[in-house]
Amino acid sequence: MSPGRKLIAGNWKMNGLRADATALCRELAQKVRMTDIGCELLVCPPATVLTFVGNAIAGSGILLGGQDCHAAAAGPFTGSISAEMLKDAGCTHVIVGHSERRRGYGERNSDVRAKVAAAWRAGLIAIVCIGETAEDHESGKAREVVVSQLSRSVPDEAIAINLVVAYEPVWAIGSGHLPEIAEIAEVHAAISEQQPSTRILYGGSVNGRNAAEVLAIPNVDGVLVGGASLHLDEFWAIANACGQSLELQR
Ligand code: PGA
């Protein structure tokens, strides 16, 4: 089990225009100022609204993150964003190796590893996503695949404060289907063995109804939330589930 409070991270993916993004984050910041939720909140909006979201959450303690970065600090890489740019925009974290990038953009473990190094070079915490496909899951290879992805995607210099691991079974993302609780526990235990004292998030179809149960699983130190993070009430319910999960653990 890693130290500290649980981390509830919202991955907005390619969603969010200025007006809605700002409104959602202003309201979220307002709620956070009025309640002690006992967990850390992180929002990872598209790069185009980072500054607006950053202004909306200023002073609330909510953290800001990017969804991807290039391995280089600057240069002729049209359309790309460096870790230094994310840092400059107010980010503390960056998601790397999300399965949508691995599958949709052909990112290999070695690419992810270079991006993690870039995040650290810029002073960001890297949230490294790993997870098995439906096929791997069906053939009982989840643990094996995840452990191998982890060792290939994370540079040797990893320390607990610069790394967060997000276990996201590819088949669970956006599907409405959670793995069995025992399956999540097994994979998280394996990750924890490999990266002791690192925060390990679970991601894939987390919502306000299942969050407390997920957050109560041993070695689950938070959640990475996609679809549900776009709705204030849903995201807020997940944040509030932190308290309930502590009750369930007792
Ligand atoms: P989901 O996505 O919560 O919509 O399943 C999670 C993710 O892709 O990080």
Side-chain angles (χ1 to χ4, degrees), residues 7-95:
L7 175 66
I8 310 295
N11 171 15
W12 291 14
K13 309 189 179 184
M14 198 173 72
N15 297 290
L17 298 177
R18 180 165 53 160
D20 289 346
T22 310
L24 189 152
C25 286
R26 270 207 199 111
E27 281 186 56
L28 186 63
Q30 185 74 16
K31 282 178 178 292
V32 168
R33 285 194 195 95
M34 289 179 340
T35 330
D36 179 16
I37 44 171
C39 62
E40 280 182 13
L41 290 186
L42 166 71
V43 286
C44 301
T48 47
V49 296
L50 277 174
T51 308
F52 304 113
V53 167
N55 289 338
I57 60 177
S60 69
I62 302 172
L63 303 165
L64 188 64
Q67 298 178 11
D68 178 45
C69 67
H70 195 281
F77 305 105
T78 303
S80 296
I81 294 173
S82 70
E84 281 76 1
M85 290 169 180
L86 293 173
K87 175 87 178 174
D88 189 46
C91 293
T92 50
H93 292 67
V94 59
I95 299 169

Side-chain angles (χ1 to χ4, degrees), residues 4 29 70 75 87 195 220 231:
H70 195 281
K87 175 87 178 174
Q195 291 290 341
V220 171
H231 307 283

Side-chain angles (χ1 to χ4, degrees), residues 16 18-19 57 110 117 120 149 153 220:
R18 180 165 53 160
I57 60 177
S110 54
W120 293 346
Q149 269 183 344
S153 301
V220 171

Side-chain angles (χ1 to χ4, degrees), residues 120-249:
W120 293 346
R121 182 188 64 220
L124 296 175
I125 297 170
I127 303 179
V128 179
C129 301
I130 49 177
E132 82 283 2
T133 61
E135 206 182 5
D136 294 330
H137 180 245
E138 276 150 31
S139 50
K141 290 202 201 126
R143 187 191 162 111
E144 189 187 317
V145 167
V146 163
V147 162
S148 152
Q149 269 183 344
L150 182 62
S151 63
R152 289 160 203 256
S153 301
V154 174
D156 299 336
E157 305 76 50
I159 47 170
I161 52 163
N162 63 14
L163 178 71
V164 174
V165 174
Y167 168 51
E168 299 205 300
V170 179
W171 55 274
I173 294 175
S175 68
H177 300 298
L178 274 188
E180 298 291 328
I181 296 300
E183 289 178 314
I184 300 178
E186 189 199 337
V187 176
H188 276 247
I191 297 170
S192 169
E193 221 168 88
Q194 201 168 325
Q195 291 290 341
S197 23
T198 297
R199 258 179 174 172
I200 310 166
L201 313 183
Y202 168 77
S205 295
V206 173
N207 58 40
R209 292 170 306 288
N210 60 27
E213 196 183 8
V214 171
L215 287 163
I217 301 172
N219 298 304
V220 171
D221 306 310
V223 284
L224 181 54
V225 186
S229 70
L230 298 170
H231 307 283
L232 180 65
D233 291 347
E234 216 31 59
F235 195 54
W236 187 242
I238 296 169
N240 277 287
C242 269
Q244 294 165 34
S245 73
L246 294 176
E247 291 295 316
L248 287 177
Q249 275 173 336

